[in-house]
Each structure stands twice: as C-alpha cells, then as structure tokens.
Amino acid sequence: MTVVPASEVKSRMRSYIMQRLLMKGDGAPLHDDDLLFSSGRLDSLDAVELIMSVETDYGINFSDLGFDLTRLDSISAIARLVEQSSVEPA
Amino acid sequence: MVGHNLGLRFQEIVAATPGAPALFCEGNSYSFRELNETANRFSRWLVSVGVDRGAVVCLEMPKIMEAYALALACIKIGAPYAFLDPAAPAERSRLMLDRCRASLILSVREGPGARIVVGDAAARAELRKAIAEFDGSDLPQTTEITGADPAYVMFTSGSTGEPKGVVIPHQGVLHLVEWAGNDLGIGPADRLTNVNPIYFDNSVFDIYAGLLNGAAIVAIDALRGRPPAELVAEITRHRCTFFFAVPTLFMFLDSMHLLSPDWLPNVTRFMFGGEGYPLARLRRFYDAFAGRAKLINCYGPTETSCICSGFDITAQVFDTSEGLAPLGRLNPNFSYRILDEDMKPIATGGVGELWLGGPGVGLGYINNPQETARRFRQDPLIDGYRSILYRSGDLVEVDRANVLRFRGRADNQVKLRGYRVELEEIDHAIAARTGITRALAAVLHDANGASRLLAAYSGTKQAETDLRQHCAARLPAYMIPSRFIWLEEIPVNANGKADRRSVASLLDEAHAKAS
C-alpha cells in the first residue's frame, strides 16, 4: 500500500467533509481537531458516507475498527488512522 | 364497544385516562384531555375555513404540538392529512402539493397554494388565538367516518420521477394499533419515542400505536445538528420504554458507544425496520441488551399501513448463514400470495414477489390512477369478487412456519438509510439538467451492509458540485448521489434499455480508480 502523507489525507478529508456540511447549511469553520460526530455536525447519514469513503479511498475496513466511529471523529483522527493502517496493513 | 375509526378510538382513550400524559413536545407535556381539546378546536377551525370531509390538508411542519393536534383534528373530520418535509426542496414540495390538490396547506414556509404560514412564534400564537374561540368538545360528525375512509396520505419515492402519495384508511391503522397492543404489549405504562420524522412512514407507528394504546409519545428532533449523546439522554430523561428507528440510526448510536443499557436503561423494546439490519451489527446490539430489552425486526410497505410483520430477535437468528434477520409472520388480518412474474403461485420454499391483502391495504396513490392501477391489483387467483392486493415488489421466501424472509427486489427500488428510493426518480432528476442525455443511479454495497449511492451520466461533462447542487434543488438529501461519474455512453441491454447492472459495475470500477 502506498503511503499517503497525513497532510494530503487531511486536506482531502477537509474538503470532503466541508462539502457535506455546506449541503446542510453549516458553513462554520472546520479545524482538524473539531469533533465531527460527537458534536452532531455530522449525523448518521453522513457516517455511512464517510465510512464508505474512508474504506474505498484508504483501504480501511470499518469492521476491523470494531465499528468504532469515535476513531473517525475528527480530521486528525482520520489522518492518524490512515497513517497507522499504511504502516501496519490490516 | 370500540370505535370504528381513529378519532373515536382516540376519544375512548381520552375518556379512560384524561389526565395521563399524551405528548411531550418542545419541553412541554400535554395530557390526553388537553391534546383532545386542542384537536377538537382545530377540527372546528378547519371546517370554518372550508375544509370538507375527504379534502386533503397538507401539514408542512416540524414536530411541534400543533402538528400532532392538527393531524388528529383532520382525522376527526375525515379530511386526510399529509405531513410533508418542511426542508424538502421547493420543487419536490410543489409536486407533492399539486398531487394532493390540497384544500389547505399549513406550512412553516412561504410557497404556492391556499396556505397559512406558521413559521415563527408570533404566527403560531395567532393561530392558537384563532382556534381558542372554538369549542373543545368532541365533534358529532366523527361518528360518521368509516374505517374504510382515508386517514392520511404518506409520500414515498416514485419511479416516474415524482413522489407518490399513498392513501391509508382508518382501518389499516386500527389494525396496526391492535397489533402493537397485543403483540408488542404497548399500553398506558409505556412511553414511545417519536424520533422518526413525521413525514416518514415509521412515525405512523409512533403516533398511533402509542396514543391509541394509551401510551405517551415523546417528540424528539432527529439528529440534525445535535450531539447524539444529547438525543440518547433526552430519551432517557423522558423514561421512554419503546424506541423505534431505522437500523442506520441504531448502528450510528452503536458506533458512538451510545447503544447500551447504561445509556438507555428504561427501554424494554427496540424495534427497527425500513431497511435490513446486517446480522454482524445486530449481534452487538443484541448482546448489549441481552435479557434487558427485546429487539424486534419489523417489515411493511407504506402502502399497507406502515407495518405488516414483526420478528423477535433471538440468539438462534445468529446461528444461520443469512445476512439479515427474517421479516417474520404477517400480522393478524393480513393475507398474502407469493407469485412469479406470470402471477402464478410459487411452490413453498421458492422465491417470488409478495402480494399483500386485507383491510390494511391502502386505497391507492392520491390523484394518480395510473400508478394505483399498476400496484393495487385484483388478486389474480380470484375472479368471482373484488379482492385487491398490493403488489409489493419485494421478493420473499416463506418457510413452513409462515415466516417470511427478504430475498431482494423485483424492480429498482432501494433502501437508503431506511428511506425508500426509486432509482428512476434520481435518474429523472439528473437528466433534467441541460446537456445531460442520460443518467442512471446505482447503489454499491460494502461488505458490512452499508450502501452508497452513485450516478453515471452521459452528455456534456459537468462539475460534480454543479450536479450536486442541481440535485439538491430537486431531491431530498438522502437521494443525492455521493459521486457523479461521466461515461461516454450509458450501456444498454439487448432491448436497448439502459442497463443498470452494467452501470453499477462500471461505477464500482470508476469509483475505485478515482480514489
């Protein structure tokens, strides 16, 4: 698996998530450590989309994470996961 | 003696327990007496502004007390109501209003038609003042409404590119209420969540299975914009005992570590339906509440009064190689046939299309005789008298114990986050854009049972954000494809028809390549 730099993951995820937020009329700033799901900014519908996007884009299997969404709860958290999975592939 | 329509049945409950809480909403609580009196005032007010029996009243509003009282008010005068999504794109809302030929629209936003806007506190106060002049006692005309009269109109996606409004009679809901009382044990000691949006079929269960069994209902705003932990805390603060939602929501709460007896100590029954709950995920839910709460998988098309079967999840369910739990046995007063494409019965154990019969079958699609004729059909095995079945499009298999299992769809209907979606409606919406010659939506599934909506189109290549905006002006959020992929040409099958299966595999490839 090719290693994707954390900065690239972050910028890609940020633009993807901001697009979803904008569609619900949420134009507030989005920082890397802002909570996405716990805060309620993203909901159950977004969760399915985000999980599938992370799965297809970075080869991370949600079932390997024990279906734990709190591990995708911020842009930084997602970047960490991608980094870990490229170091130790599942 | 029990009432033969929903209004009378509600009044019986009011007479039995007038002071009991009926509705918790926006931080207030209303007893059965208060809710009934408000409904009665609304009934008389509706009549005074010209709403007749049989005329449709559209209620485009969120979960405010007036919404529930107005629905009951319509029920009492025999004017079917239609709850519409106040956040739906204006164009989609217009299509639904046109179909209803609404005699009155109560909405939180401006728009076409004979409309009263109740968008802010001042307008709501004015409406409350207007109805306060009317008498709050029960109306004599409620007794004239029969069980076969329409109670409500519920919109669902349509394959012709426009939503269809299903008309459901009082008797269909009365059977649902009875099943909820007898089989699910819902009674005055219960409190039901109303997390399901009121313009969504599942809320019919919340409202009527609750109120008409003497239980209270708790209006809870969907997740939009609020922390999920708050939603769960609200359910617990109200001591809800029955929680019905789509699997997507339960799976989300599970993923956020919020689906446990610690968070939801009072819930004794969880029910889910509207889409399949993948067994691998269901196992976690089941284990978390083992011995503490019952889990029920329910099934039912909107056209047959919300729910027509339920199945109690037991440990044995997980011992099979099936991906989903069974749909269960049909509820009392439902009949069925499992037929092949030539409308011939399928031998026991075979897979065929489910056709549903009985008094729970709807009255058709509002002002839409073509679609009604397509789906509400004479039982092909009976020609001596009228026997209308609803042709569900669901492919099922039944075992010797009469337990139904879902085996797919006979058409292009899919379930997305519990919402029923006809893929053709999305095709039509995309193709309405200038420069696009053909469009085809498809759903890709991952190994965990999650599904994702993608679309392919041909014609002029366009920016994805433009296409997304175009769709957002026509379709609700759950129907907007997450990616749009341009194809030189949309593949067709031997008959020259666009081939959705090949498009799906092309999308799968293109999607993998793009990432």
Side-chain angles (χ1 to χ4, degrees):
Chain A
M1 171 163 234
T2 48
V3 178
V4 189
S7 59
E8 196 188 311
V9 176
K10 283 183 181 175
S11 85
R12 219 156 119 174
M13 287 319 298
R14 187 179 301 106
S15 79
Y16 177 73
I17 292 163
M18 285 193 72
Q19 195 181 59
R20 290 203 71 86
L21 289 173
L22 273 175
M23 273 176 66
K24 322 153 168 268
D26 178 353
L30 178 67
H31 305 291
D32 286 356
D33 293 322
D34 287 354
L35 295 178
L36 302 169
F37 296 104
S38 312
S39 65
R41 290 184 75 181
L42 292 187
D43 60 23
S44 56
L45 271 73
D46 304 307
V48 183
E49 286 291 336
L50 189 90
I51 290 162
M52 289 193 75
S53 167
V54 171
E55 284 185 331
T56 41
D57 293 358
Y58 303 113
I60 289 171
N61 193 334
F62 192 52
S63 60
D64 293 339
L65 302 180
F67 303 108
D68 186 353
L69 195 56
T70 59
R71 295 180 70 185
L72 302 173
D73 207 8
S74 69
I75 291 174
S76 304
I78 297 169
R80 268 198 303 278
L81 260 181
V82 173
E83 202 174 21
Q84 282 166 15
S85 73
S86 56
V87 176
E88 328 150 19
Chain B
M1 188 66 189
V2 284
H4 58 269
N5 65 45
L6 294 169
L8 294 178
R9 191 70 68 89
F10 179 65
Q11 286 163 203
E12 282 168 16
I13 300 288
V14 174
T17 56
L23 173 67
F24 293 86
C25 190
E26 297 180 282
N28 297 314
S29 76
Y30 305 89
S31 66
F32 275 95
R33 186 197 296 113
E34 288 169 318
L35 184 58
N36 189 45
E37 284 178 3
T38 307
N40 289 337
R41 292 195 170 94
F42 266 125
S43 293
R44 289 189 170 87
W45 172 79
L46 286 168
V47 172
S48 79
V49 296
V51 175
D52 293 325
R53 181 172 169 185
V56 180
V57 176
C58 288
L59 305 171
E60 194 179 50
M61 42 179 63
K63 289 174 183 163
I64 55 178
M65 189 268 186
E66 291 90 329
Y68 297 92
L70 274 160
L72 290 166
C74 289
I75 289 288
K76 283 167 175 259
I77 58 168
Y81 65 87
F83 276 130
L84 303 181
D85 177 5
E91 172 59 15
R92 198 163 197 263
S93 162
R94 188 189 59 76
L95 288 173
M96 295 190 277
L97 292 170
D98 283 356
R99 271 294 167 190
C100 286
R101 298 182 194 150
S103 65
L104 182 68
I105 304 157
L106 282 116
S107 175
V108 288
R109 58 183 177 176
E110 301 288 342
R115 171 181 303 242
I116 292 173
V117 179
V118 284
D120 57 20
R124 282 176 70 183
E126 203 172 309
L127 181 64
R128 297 292 279 272
K129 208 172 118 197
I131 67 155
E133 294 169 17
F134 292 91
D135 180 12
S137 64
D138 291 337
L139 293 90
Q141 64 259 49
T142 303
T143 53
E144 293 165 20
I145 296 154
T146 76
D149 281 334
Y152 64 85
V153 177
M154 183 62 70
F155 277 91
T156 181
S157 176
S159 59
T160 56
E162 160 185 0
K164 299 183 289 194
V166 183
V167 185
I168 293 296
H170 285 247
Q171 63 196 8
V173 187
L174 287 175
H175 286 295
L176 176 74
V177 169
E178 215 156 287
W179 169 71
N182 295 336
D183 284 35
L184 305 176
I186 292 176
D190 280 310
R191 282 192 187 176
L192 277 71
T193 56
N194 179 208
V195 171
N196 297 302
I198 48 176
Y199 54 83
F200 177 42
D201 188 36
N202 283 1
S203 70
V204 170
F205 176 89
D206 297 339
I207 297 171
Y208 294 103
L211 293 179
L212 271 54
N213 279 307
I217 55 172
V218 183
I220 297 171
D221 239 338
L223 287 170
R224 191 161 285 231
R226 79 193 284 211
E230 248 179 46
L231 170 109
V232 171
E234 191 176 345
I235 291 172
T236 296
R237 195 168 60 248
H238 282 103
R239 301 197 300 280
C240 291
T241 56
F242 197 104
F243 184 2
F244 175 31
V246 292
T248 296
L249 180 61
F250 286 126
M251 286 192 275
F252 176 62
L253 295 179
D254 171 46
S255 302
M256 296 301 291
H257 311 298
L258 295 167
L259 195 59
S260 70
D262 291 341
W263 279 94
L264 293 159
N266 308 108
V267 179
T268 53
R269 284 144 298 167
F270 290 91
M271 189 163 80
F272 40 83
E275 64 186 331
Y277 202 131
L279 280 185
R281 303 294 308 267
L282 186 56
R283 172 101 230 190
R284 296 160 53 91
F285 190 0
Y286 180 80
D287 289 344
F289 285 91
R292 301 278 297 263
K294 209 158 126 171
L295 269 55
I296 304 135
N297 181 36
C298 70
Y299 161 78
T302 304
E303 285 84 345
T304 53
S305 310
C306 191
I307 296 172
C308 60
S309 76
F311 185 86
D312 283 359
I313 303 297
T314 57
Q316 286 78 37
V317 169
F318 304 103
D319 295 338
T320 64
S321 56
E322 298 276 337
L324 297 170
L327 305 177
R329 279 189 201 92
L330 287 178
N331 294 348
N333 234 339
F334 275 100
S335 65
Y336 72 95
R337 295 202 187 277
I338 299 177
L339 304 176
D340 66 15
E341 283 174 8
D342 299 322
M343 296 194 262
K344 299 271 185 321
I346 296 271
T348 308
V351 175
E353 186 177 354
L354 180 66
W355 294 53
L356 290 156
V361 172
L363 305 175
Y365 301 111
I366 191 100
N367 297 315
N368 195 338
Q370 293 84 2
E371 286 296 302
T372 301
R374 233 163 55 81
R375 285 294 182 184
F376 294 84
R377 309 267 292 259
Q378 174 70 23
D379 183 339
L381 306 183
I382 287 175
D383 57 10
Y385 53 89
R386 203 168 132 83
S387 171
I388 300 296
L389 301 181
Y390 169 65
R391 182 176 193 174
S392 74
D394 285 328
L395 299 177
V396 300
E397 179 183 314
V398 66
D399 66 15
R400 272 193 222 119
N402 282 326
V403 171
L404 298 169
R405 285 182 179 277
F406 183 67
R407 292 290 182 242
R409 284 287 304 176
D411 56 16
N412 293 315
Q413 186 187 108
V414 295
K415 290 297 184 80
L416 290 167
R417 332 289 180 248
Y419 288 97
R420 182 173 136 178
V421 173
E422 303 285 349
L423 290 173
E424 290 93 338
E425 193 178 344
I426 302 170
D427 305 344
H428 281 280
I430 303 171
R433 188 167 167 83
T434 322
I436 290 183
T437 44
R438 214 159 191 186
L440 223 52
V443 170
L444 301 186
H445 300 278
D446 82 349
N448 301 317
S451 43
R452 190 160 199 220
L453 183 63
L454 302 174
Y457 68 98
S458 61
T460 323
K461 211 167 181 175
Q462 318 217 1
E464 214 169 55
T465 44
D466 293 346
L467 288 170
R468 197 166 288 118
Q469 264 173 14
H470 166 84
C471 286
R474 286 163 180 78
L475 301 169
Y478 59 86
M479 284 174 74
I480 301 172
S482 50
R483 292 209 175 148
F484 296 83
I485 290 158
W486 178 82
L487 296 176
E488 178 82 48
E489 236 174 301
I490 297 280
V492 290
N493 61 20
N495 305 321
K497 279 182 78 178
D499 187 345
R500 207 174 294 272
R501 205 167 285 177
S502 334
V503 166
S505 63
L506 279 175
L507 281 173
D508 207 0
E509 276 170 36
H511 181 49
K513 239 183 262 167
S515 40

